Amino acid sequence: MIRIMLIFCILLLIIATTLTKNSTKKIDKQIFNLKKDIRLLENKYELVILEHNYLSSPKKLLEYQKRFFENELSPIDIQNMKKIEFKNEEILIEKIFKK
């Protein structure tokens, strides 16, 4: 009787160990895939940030202005900016910055 109980306990431990190993392998695969996806997304993010910083740098913006707009753009005084609103077929113009 003790022999049968001992064999039953050993078989139960072997089955429990096998199930634990299989579930651990699945979790490890999921972790590996998620880390791989994160690395890819981080690389893309770094490239996008680099592109944004390069394209929006003041030097680059001035270069674009000269290349594409030539003399179409001119500086304005921010105090003279106005807001235009359309209400019921009326046009309302008011200054953004009031003194």
Side-chain angles (χ1 to χ4, degrees), residues 2 5 34 48 55 57 65 95:
I2 294 177
M5 292 285 267
L34 288 174
V48 167
L55 292 176
S57 69
Q65 176 189 357
K95 283 191 168 189

Side-chain angles (χ1 to χ4, degrees), residues 23-54:
S23 64
T24 305
K25 281 183 183 179
K26 288 179 184 177
I27 292 172
D28 281 343
K29 283 182 184 179
Q30 289 176 346
I31 290 172
F32 177 77
N33 288 335
L34 288 174
K35 284 184 177 180
K36 186 172 69 171
D37 291 344
I38 288 172
R39 278 193 303 266
L40 289 173
L41 289 174
E42 283 177 346
N43 287 340
K44 284 183 183 180
Y45 176 75
E46 288 174 2
L47 287 173
V48 167
I49 290 294
L50 176 66
E51 182 179 347
H52 176 268
N53 289 340
Y54 174 73

Side-chain angles (χ1 to χ4, degrees), residues 60-83:
K60 203 65 180 169
L61 291 174
L62 287 172
E63 182 182 319
Y64 289 143
Q65 176 189 357
K66 289 177 185 172
R67 183 185 300 167
F68 298 112
F69 299 109
E70 294 177 12
N71 295 325
E72 292 178 24
L73 300 177
S74 61
I76 62 167
D77 184 16
I78 198 166
Q79 298 294 326
N80 294 333
M81 291 181 67
K82 296 178 183 174
K83 179 171 77 171

